[in-house]
Amino acid sequence: MVFNTGAALLDAIVLAVVSREPEGTYGYKITQEVRGVLEVSESTLYPVLRRLLKDGCLEVYDQEFAGRNRRYYKTTQRGMAQLNLYVAEWQEYSDRITRIFAGRSKV
């Protein structure tokens, strides 16, 4: 993709992916789902997860899977509120860009 992906957009995408699983989801699965829409590395996404944890948007718990602990991330109420804000702002932003591309609006 030729467009840069800023921190806020990455946060929004990660929150959207995590919020789809009521019981939470694990890092590798999050990485694979995000990679379905953006070219990003694990080394980019794990700092995003840590930042969202620090900001209170995610919570974490460990659960055994195949004899090993797997770390799960779950969206908090604060995270859902932040995601709702991101969704509303994205809709407004993308509508403006679409109008410009379609030639229906001046800058």
Side-chain angles (χ1 to χ4, degrees), residues 55-89:
D55 292 345
C57 293
L58 295 177
E59 59 187 24
V60 67
Y61 66 94
D62 293 334
Q63 184 172 334
E64 185 179 335
F65 178 81
R68 297 176 44 193
N69 273 339
R70 181 182 273 175
R71 179 151 289 181
Y72 283 80
Y73 298 87
K74 185 175 177 181
T75 312
T76 63
Q77 284 184 324
R78 182 177 183 156
M80 288 305 297
Q82 185 64 46
L83 176 58
N84 291 334
L85 177 63
Y86 283 140
V87 168
E89 289 190 15

Side-chain angles (χ1 to χ4, degrees), residues 5-72:
T5 306
L9 184 56
L10 276 174
D11 288 0
I13 292 168
V14 169
L15 284 172
V17 167
V18 175
S19 73
R20 289 191 282 182
E21 301 289 339
E23 297 304 314
T25 188
Y26 54 97
Y28 180 76
K29 187 173 179 186
I30 296 166
T31 301
Q32 294 308 304
E33 289 192 39
V34 172
R35 283 183 175 166
V37 294
L38 294 174
E39 289 183 34
V40 294
S41 66
E42 285 184 34
S43 63
T44 299
L45 287 177
Y46 279 95
V48 172
L49 290 168
R50 284 192 296 273
R51 180 174 57 248
L52 291 170
L53 278 166
K54 181 180 165 217
D55 292 345
C57 293
L58 295 177
E59 59 187 24
V60 67
Y61 66 94
D62 293 334
Q63 184 172 334
E64 185 179 335
F65 178 81
R68 297 176 44 193
N69 273 339
R70 181 182 273 175
R71 179 151 289 181
Y72 283 80

